[in-house]
Structures are given as structure tokens and as C-alpha cells.
Amino acid sequence: MMELDPAETFRQEAAELLDSLEVALLDLSQTPQDRELIDTAFRALHTIKGSGAMFGFEQVAAFTHDFETAFDLIRKGEIEANRDIVSVALAAKDYIRALIEDPDSTDAIIGDAILDDLRRFVSVPEAPGVAGGDAPLPAASTRQAGWRIGIAFEPDILRNGTNPLALLDDLRALGPCEIIGNLDNVPELDALDPETCLVSWDVTLASDCTIDAIEDVFMFVRDEMKLTITPIAAASAESGQQDAPQAEIAIPAPLLAATPSRPAPAPEPVAEKIELSRRSEEKTSTVRVQAERLDELMDRVGELVIAQARLSQLAHSGTDVAIKAIAEEIERLASGLRDSTMGVRMVPMGTLFGRFRRLVHDLSRDLAKPVEFVTAGEDTELDKTMIERLADPLVHLIRNAIDHGIEHPEQRADTPKEATGRIELAARYVGAQVLVTVTDDGAGLDAARIRAKAEEQGLLQPGAAMSDQDIYQFLFHPGFSTAKTISTLSGRGVGMDVVKRTIESLRGSIELSTRPGQGTTVTLRLPLTLAIIEGLLTRVGDGRYIIPLSAVEECVELTAADDARARGRNFLSVRGDLVPFLRLRDLFDAQGEPDQHQKIIITSKGDTRVGLVVDQIIGSHQTVIKSLSKLHADVTMFSGATILGDGSAALILDVAQLVTLGQAKAESEKEAA
């Protein structure tokens, strides 16, 4: 059995905490008064510091401690968060990530500079009339708030590696404490188990800290203890005492009192007690699983689906009713297992969208363009492999939208638009596809400028007739850029062509729409998963082919009259629209005579429709996608292969490539006519 590496576990958990910290800081730049965001950021820092020290990441713990100390002034309300503080805090977060991932390559000088900047921004100004020296003492009437804390751990807490005394030491760091041990449940020495914790504690804490600060001390053991916290002011009021504890509380030298435990106090009214036990809250249990294991599980499920298809075919070719019943039951179970496994691989788009907030924040600052970043459809789920490969294309699209789309403030001032630009990243389901859109409210695409650049690079003959939509496609040509100068963001023409290649490798498509002066929308159409798809099984000659069902609009029959009229001009009238079609027999050089009643499958890519002529439509098919070998890398008409129930192979058609081919043939036929 493979043992878990504690350091790697810390890195994974720290990565999640750093992501949470980044989100809180970015939100804080918009709403600096939000106490919940401030507490969230502080808790993330506190947890990273404690865990770092626990797992031996001393540099991380030391740097985070200084970061936490400076940020604590914001938490206490002594200063207000602003964009400068957030920018430095984000740089500090990046430095912590570098210390965790590759501590040997980090420069301590950079860390010191970041902390110096942070201290400078969060420094508390001197009060008027105070030229130096010690700060004035608070008035004698000022009372310090306090808490009574009840602590009872589960008996197995010691076996799990937790040291209760260390936690009590952390509690003492919050302020003066009186800690009394309750030994009522401790048996005689002969019956004592040294690995069982039977001691509970009553703590009186004289501090103005918040409840969250106390809870943070026990963050890692909250499920293994009962923790109650009661304000001293509320308890004292019942007995007619003052509303605050005395300024000094006797603190015993040893952490555990040597004297017998004192009697338990009388129960306090429920209304006055703050019970922090979270047993009533609903919790979702999660298990961290390596991605490779999910991929292996998906492969095994795919093989099971193939085997089940073979079993079903054999069962239906015979007459044994019992075998048919078993085959149907296995088909039901395999279908449920397939759906469950695919569900495990599905990841919300929000996990991807959150990465780009920092990108927009930094680009907005570097380009001096105020930009509002809006997301929608974060709950839309997509296969984890798709999510991972979609990150880079979206980075290019968002950078282009801010750099080329959003105007500078002085240019927007001459328009009715608001001074702050807007980038919207959204996702939604459309049938068996997911549509991801990147929309800006900038100047839109300039067709004349794109055309001039295409003519300059020899991609287009001067004066050639071409629609604006076709001109926009030059943006996806390798090496094409409309930037006048090369900068760190643009000018080399290696962005949009990479986006297009990546999206097409995911069996998706990319579309552009623009309104001059109002903005541009880039739409990515993606399948839900790359592992198993619903396909339409067809026959062309002796070969069988799979067409992804998500790309199929309808099926019509190619009559002998339509076939005769179409000779030389492969167009079909579908409800008044002329649709070009491709004869797959000719394309695949199929042998033999075509069937008498051929079928045309109308497929689409965006607004473009192309028909595919096949001999027979066999039916729907659960298609387990197998990648083609490197020897077939230049075969663009097929996106993969699958195994049929009889053990033979069927190629999966790449509809996007076929639609492009059909459109090109239609254009050439028009020119010839």
C-alpha cells in the first residue's frame, strides 16, 4: 500500500488555502469593509502558518507569521484595506506559494521587500499631539472582554497525533489565561491507559479576541472535541458582578493544576451560551483521489461498456430468454456505472473561472484600464480533462479582450459607455454541449484593419470579395496579429491560432461575433466529455463510422430524383435552404455500388450546415473513444475510433473538419458555376 507523503499533503491543502486567500483578497479590493472576507483571509494565513510549522516548512511559517501580523491590523479595524494593500498581499501570497513549491529557488530579499511594502501600507499613523515615545495608555475605565471556554476532547485524540497541551499553549497566546484541569474521569493508576485522553479543561481567557480567533486554535480537531465558549460579561451579569473581568487573572505556572478539579459550574441559560459544536450543520465528506486513478477507472468502465455491447449483440442473436434478461440487466448496471464514473470526473466551471480574477486584476493595473470581471454559470460542469486543457485558451481570450478590446479610459470618455470596462465569462448547457463565452464591451473588431493586415501578409488578394465573418477568421491564422507594436502581451501572432487548435483538439468549435463600438463575443462549443459520447452509427460501403450525436441536426433521405439533380452540384434544398453535402463514399473511396436509398445526415458547426451522405443509418451507439496512433496524426477527418459489439473497429468522424471541407467544396463549385 502506498504511503502518503505528509509534505505533499500539506502542499495540496496549502494550494487550496492560497486559492481561497486570493479570492478573499480580490473580493476585498472591491468591498474593503467586509469583515467576513477579512476573517476568511486571516484564517487562511493562520492555517498555512500552523500547518507549515507542523510539516517542517519553517520558511513558510516564518514569512506567513510576519504577513499575518501586518494583516492583523486590518482585522482589528485599525486601518482599512485598499487596492495598494491588496496588491502587496497578493504578491505575498505568490511568494508563499513559491516557498511551498520550490523553496530553494526563492530569494529571501524579495520576501523581505514584500513585507516591507506591506508594513509601510498598513502602518498606523500617530495620533495628533503624540510626537513619539510610548502610546498613550487606555483610560482606567476601559475594561477588557473575556471568555470562559470548556474543552473536552474525544478519548482517541492522543492516538491521532494531537497534543492537547500544545493547543492550550496556543490559546494562552491570545491573552492571559487561567486553565483548570478536570480529572473526574481519570481512573486509578492501574487502570489508566496513557493513550486515552480523559482530562477536560475549563479556561478563563482575559482577551478582547473574537470567537473566530479562539475557534482557529482548534481548527484541525473540531470534529474530535466539544468546545463551548461563553462571554464572561454575560455570565457575570447574572450574579450581579461587574460586566468585565478583573484586569489581572492569576495564571498558574503549570499548565495543568495539581490540585483536584473544582466543581463544575451551574449550567448557564441557553440563550446566553455560544455553542460552537457544529454537529447540527450538514457536512459533505470528500476524499482526495489522484487524477490518474480516475483516468484508469474511466478506461476500465469504457472496456466494460464495450464488453457489454458484445454481450448484448450475442444475446439478441440467440433465442435463450434467460441470457437476454441477464444481458439487459448488465446493460442497465453498466449504464449506471458509466454515468456515475463520468459524474465523478465532472468539475464545476467555477473552479476554472476563479483563476482568471487575478489575471484581470493584474492586467487592469498594468494597462491602466479599469475592468470589471463578471462570471456566470459557475455551476456548469465539464469533464476534468476539458477543464485542464481549457485554461490556456481562456487566458489568451481574456488577455486579448482587455488588451485589444477594452478602450483606454480617455477613449471611453468620448463614448456613452461607463469608464470601467466589462469582461464577462459565462458557461451554459446547450443539449449535449457546453457553451463558454468571453464577452467584452470594447470597440469591437475592425474588419477593414484585419483585411489590410491579411493583404499585407499575402493571405488575401487585394479587392477580393469576402464577408466580414470570413475576414474575422484570419485572426486564427498562425502568425497573424493586428498589434502595431510587439509588447509583453501581444504582437507576435501566437495567441488565437493556439486557441483554435486547442479547441478543435477537444472536438469543439470557436465562433466570433462582434458589434462595432459595442464589443465582441467569442463562443467556444465543447462536448461534455472526451471519454464516452452518444454517437450515430452509420455504414458507408463495407465500413462503419460514428458521427457524434451532438453535431447531428436531422436525417433525410437522398431520393433518386434529388441525386440526379445534384450531380455536379452537391446541394440539397432543406425547407427552402440550400445545404451542401459530401458523399462519404467518394471521400473514403468505398468499394461497391451505393445503396438504393441513401441517407443524408445534416450536421452543423455554428451557423454552417453540411450534409453527409451515407448508405445506411444503423442506430444510436454508446461510443467509447479510443485515440488514434501517431501514425494517423495527419488524418484530419477522424477524431478517434471505437470498438463495436462484434469486436470490429469503427472510425469516429471529425464533424468540424468535414463541415469545413464541405464549405470549401461548396465555394469552389459556386466559383466554377
Side-chain angles (χ1 to χ4, degrees):
M1 180 177 178
M2 183 178 61
E3 295 184 1
L4 293 177
D5 180 8
E8 184 59 31
T9 300
F10 167 70
R11 290 189 182 96
Q12 293 175 359
E13 294 180 352
E16 296 175 0
L17 288 168
L18 289 172
D19 290 341
S20 173
L21 175 61
E22 181 174 283
V23 171
L25 290 173
L26 291 171
D27 287 339
L28 199 59
S29 65
Q30 305 296 326
T31 55
Q33 301 289 346
D34 194 323
R35 290 294 309 172
E36 184 177 349
L37 292 175
I38 295 173
D39 290 340
T40 298
F42 193 84
R43 280 196 295 270
L45 289 172
H46 186 76
T47 306
I48 292 172
K49 181 187 74 172
S51 300
M54 183 185 303
F55 289 103
F57 289 79
E58 301 297 339
Q59 289 177 288
V60 173
F63 180 85
T64 308
H65 174 73
D66 293 337
F67 185 2
E68 181 186 40
T69 301
F71 202 82
D72 191 39
L73 297 176
I74 300 174
R75 183 169 176 255
K76 291 179 179 178
E78 297 181 15
I79 60 172
E80 182 177 318
N82 55 46
R83 288 185 176 272
D84 291 332
I85 293 176
V86 168
S87 295
V88 179
L90 288 170
K93 188 236 30 155
D94 293 339
Y95 187 75
I96 294 173
R97 190 184 295 274
L99 284 175
I100 294 173
E101 295 177 352
D102 192 5
D104 295 334
S105 64
T106 54
D107 190 344
I109 297 177
I110 297 176
D112 293 339
I114 292 173
L115 289 177
D116 288 342
D117 288 341
L118 189 59
R119 294 188 189 101
R120 176 165 52 87
F121 284 125
V122 302
S123 60
V124 182
E126 293 181 344
V130 179
D134 296 334
L137 294 174
S141 60
T142 301
R143 293 291 183 180
Q144 188 178 24
W147 306 92
R148 281 189 181 145
I149 306 167
I151 302 169
F153 294 105
E154 294 291 336
D156 292 335
I157 192 76
L158 299 176
R159 295 188 181 93
N160 297 336
T162 300
N163 182 359
L165 301 186
L167 296 174
L168 294 175
D169 273 338
D170 290 341
L171 196 60
R172 274 181 108 181
L174 298 177
C177 288
E178 181 183 12
I179 303 175
I180 303 298
N182 185 345
L183 308 177
D184 289 348
N185 296 324
V186 177
E188 297 294 332
L189 186 60
D190 294 341
L192 182 65
D193 181 1
E195 295 185 353
T196 301
C197 180
L198 299 174
V199 181
S200 59
W201 290 269
D202 293 320
V203 180
T204 302
L205 172 63
S207 173
D208 61 351
C209 65
T210 63
I211 294 177
D212 287 339
I214 299 173
E215 189 182 14
D216 286 347
V217 171
F218 305 97
M219 181 179 300
F220 296 105
V221 293
R222 284 296 290 114
D223 294 335
E224 301 174 90
M225 67 178 299
K226 182 178 181 181
L227 177 67
T228 57
I229 302 177
T230 307
I232 288 180
S236 300
E238 296 174 11
S239 56
Q241 299 175 5
Q242 295 179 351
D243 289 341
Q246 297 297 322
E248 296 182 0
I249 294 179
I251 305 173
L255 198 57
L256 290 177
T259 58
S261 60
R262 62 184 179 184
E268 301 173 33
V270 176
E272 298 292 337
K273 179 179 290 188
I274 300 177
E275 173 62 60
L276 293 183
S277 177
R278 297 182 176 177
R279 296 177 183 176
S280 61
E281 296 182 5
E282 294 184 0
K283 294 185 179 181
T284 302
S285 299
T286 59
V287 177
R288 194 185 302 274
V289 179
Q290 294 178 350
E292 293 78 7
R293 294 190 177 184
L294 287 180
D295 294 337
E296 182 181 355
L297 177 61
M298 193 71 245
D299 290 340
R300 299 297 173 86
V301 171
E303 297 296 333
L304 176 62
V305 170
I306 293 173
Q308 172 266 316
R310 298 186 65 181
L311 175 62
S312 296
Q313 184 167 339
L314 290 174
H316 286 87
S317 63
T319 58
D320 193 326
V321 177
I323 295 296
K324 290 183 178 180
I326 293 175
E328 291 176 357
E329 180 67 12
I330 292 178
E331 181 178 1
R332 182 183 65 82
L333 295 174
S335 176
L337 180 60
R338 179 203 67 217
D339 293 341
S340 298
T341 305
M342 291 178 63
V344 170
R345 292 171 55 95
M346 303 300 278
V347 178
M349 294 292 290
T351 60
L352 177 64
F353 287 0
R355 305 181 194 178
F356 305 118
R357 299 188 60 198
R358 177 70 180 278
L359 173 68
V360 174
H361 175 273
D362 292 346
L363 287 178
S364 174
R365 177 197 61 204
D366 296 342
L367 297 174
K369 294 181 178 180
V371 178
E372 177 190 10
F373 183 56
V374 181
T375 60
E378 293 92 336
D379 294 336
T380 305
E381 292 186 335
L382 199 60
D383 188 279
K384 73 171 188 66
T385 304
M386 305 279 285
I387 292 281
E388 293 168 358
R389 296 177 62 181
L390 197 57
D392 287 343
L394 287 177
V395 167
H396 284 295
L397 294 176
I398 292 173
R399 285 162 65 104
N400 278 352
I402 298 177
D403 189 22
H404 298 293
I406 302 295
E407 309 95 331
H408 285 281
E410 57 270 16
Q411 294 173 317
R412 292 180 71 92
D414 298 331
T415 67
K417 301 177 184 178
E418 296 183 359
T420 301
R422 179 185 172 92
I423 302 288
E424 181 178 357
L425 179 59
R428 59 189 176 93
Y429 293 114
V430 177
Q433 291 182 316
V434 171
L435 263 60
V436 181
T437 58
V438 179
T439 305
D440 66 73
D441 67 344
L445 298 177
D446 188 342
R449 185 177 175 186
I450 298 173
R451 182 187 182 96
K453 194 69 175 182
E455 293 176 354
E456 178 185 330
Q457 295 186 5
L459 302 175
L460 179 65
Q461 293 296 326
M466 183 171 285
S467 66
D468 287 349
Q469 279 295 331
D470 292 335
I471 290 175
Y472 298 150
Q473 297 305 309
F474 285 116
L475 293 173
F476 301 109
H477 194 277
F480 189 91
S481 176
T482 58
K484 297 179 180 179
T485 58
I486 295 177
S487 67
T488 57
L489 294 179
S490 60
R492 300 189 184 276
V494 292
M496 296 299 285
D497 66 310
V498 173
V499 172
K500 185 176 182 180
R501 286 201 306 270
T502 303
I503 297 305
E504 289 181 349
S505 70
L506 296 174
R507 300 199 315 277
S509 61
I510 183 169
E511 304 164 13
L512 279 174
S513 63
T514 187
R515 291 180 295 173
Q518 299 185 47
T520 302
T521 297
V522 182
T523 302
L524 309 179
R525 293 181 177 269
L526 300 163
L528 284 174
T529 180
L530 294 175
I532 300 177
I533 62 170
E534 290 285 348
L536 191 65
L537 181 60
T538 63
R539 181 180 60 81
V540 179
D542 295 331
R544 283 175 287 183
Y545 302 90
I546 299 288
I547 300 175
L549 204 57
S550 60
V552 176
E553 289 193 355
E554 59 181 311
C555 301
V556 297
E557 184 173 346
L558 180 63
T559 63
D562 290 335
D563 192 12
R565 284 195 299 268
R567 288 298 176 184
R569 293 185 68 252
N570 291 338
F571 285 93
L572 181 71
S573 177
V574 180
R575 289 182 293 279
D577 293 333
L578 285 180
V579 178
F581 61 84
L582 295 172
R583 299 177 185 273
L584 296 186
R585 291 187 62 88
D586 298 340
L587 204 58
F588 300 154
D589 196 19
Q591 303 298 317
E593 292 296 322
D595 280 23
Q596 183 177 2
H597 302 287
Q598 296 183 85
K599 305 295 189 295
I600 298 181
I601 301 171
I602 308 296
T603 62
S604 64
K605 186 187 77 169
D607 296 330
T608 305
R609 297 197 299 171
V610 168
L612 304 177
V613 181
V614 300
D615 288 334
Q616 181 187 5
I617 298 175
I618 299 176
S620 62
H621 185 269
Q622 287 285 337
T623 305
V624 180
I625 301 174
K626 301 290 185 180
S627 300
L628 298 177
S629 69
K630 295 182 179 179
L631 297 176
H632 301 90
D634 57 341
V635 181
T636 59
M637 289 183 294
F638 306 111
S639 59
T642 190
I643 306 298
L644 300 178
D646 59 2
S648 62
L651 292 170
I652 302 171
L653 300 183
D654 190 330
V655 174
Q657 294 291 339
L658 291 173
V659 169
T660 302
L661 178 61
Q663 190 178 16
K665 290 192 68 173
E667 294 293 336
S668 63
E669 289 178 4
K670 287 181 180 178
E671 293 178 1

